[in-house]
Amino acid sequence: MTSSGTIAPGNSIGTLTIDGDLTMDANSVFAVEIDNSDNSDKLVVTGDAELAGTVQVASDETIRGTHEYTILDANNVTGTFDTIDTALVKASSVTAVPGYGATTVTLEVTAMPFDIGQTRNQRSLGVGLQEIAGGGGNAITSLLQAVPTDEELLGHYDQ
């Protein structure tokens, strides 16, 4: 199968299996949804996968912390995706780094949740917390990364 369009395993997190080989060209998009429980959409190719194009990452919830997702399994993986698009991930700032193995593609997503302050004090606290998290974190930054919404996190900042 050759893809020049969008491959999306569904409207919620799920797995799509392609029986045979897959070739994704430069115009193709692989739409992947992720969550905070380390779940993601996954593409399983029973044959070989030749990659190009864009991985478009999205989330329905605010992503916090660092997560690693296996987004593709194949008999053999060649090539790499040209672009990783994180514009649809709910987080104040996010990075996504793909990992390419002989038979898998992983995606490590790191969300920087502390840069959400609205007041001067909240912003100052957020910058300090982000520096701590960037240096490996601690018990406080780990607990704050588990807060489910930005509004609740700002409430904790105010305390």
Side-chain angles (χ1 to χ4, degrees):
M1 174 181 154
T2 299
S3 173
S4 293
T6 299
I7 297 175
N11 290 330
S12 63
I13 292 176
T15 300
L16 177 66
T17 301
I18 295 176
D19 190 20
D21 295 338
L22 171 67
T23 300
M24 298 181 75
D25 70 19
N27 296 317
S28 64
V29 175
F30 177 25
V32 176
E33 186 177 344
I34 61 173
D35 70 16
N36 280 310
S37 299
D38 296 328
N39 300 308
S40 71
D41 285 333
K42 187 179 199 179
L43 189 58
V44 176
V45 180
T46 63
D48 297 338
E50 185 178 333
L51 307 177
T54 299
V55 175
Q56 184 182 61
V57 188
S59 66
D60 283 339
E61 61 188 351
T62 301
I63 301 298
R64 304 220 183 272
T66 298
H67 304 274
E68 186 170 305
Y69 309 97
T70 299
I71 60 170
L72 187 139
D73 277 321
N75 184 50
N76 185 46
V77 174
T78 58
T80 61
F81 291 107
D82 303 319
T83 306
I84 307 297
D85 177 2
T86 59
L88 299 176
V89 175
K90 292 183 180 179
S92 4
S93 175
V94 65
T95 60
V97 178
Y100 298 96
T103 62
T104 61
V105 176
T106 60
L107 193 61
E108 183 179 276
V109 176
T110 301
M112 305 300 177
F114 301 117
D115 187 21
I116 62 167
Q118 296 172 347
T119 67
R120 182 176 177 196
N121 287 342
Q122 289 172 342
R123 286 190 297 273
S124 295
L125 180 59
V127 167
L129 289 169
Q130 196 59 61
E131 286 180 22
I132 293 168
N138 63 24
I140 293 171
T141 58
S142 294
L143 287 172
L144 289 173
Q145 286 178 332
V147 175
T149 67
D150 289 347
E151 291 77 25
E152 288 179 68
L153 186 59
L154 288 174
H156 291 296
Y157 280 15
D158 288 338
Q159 293 177 8

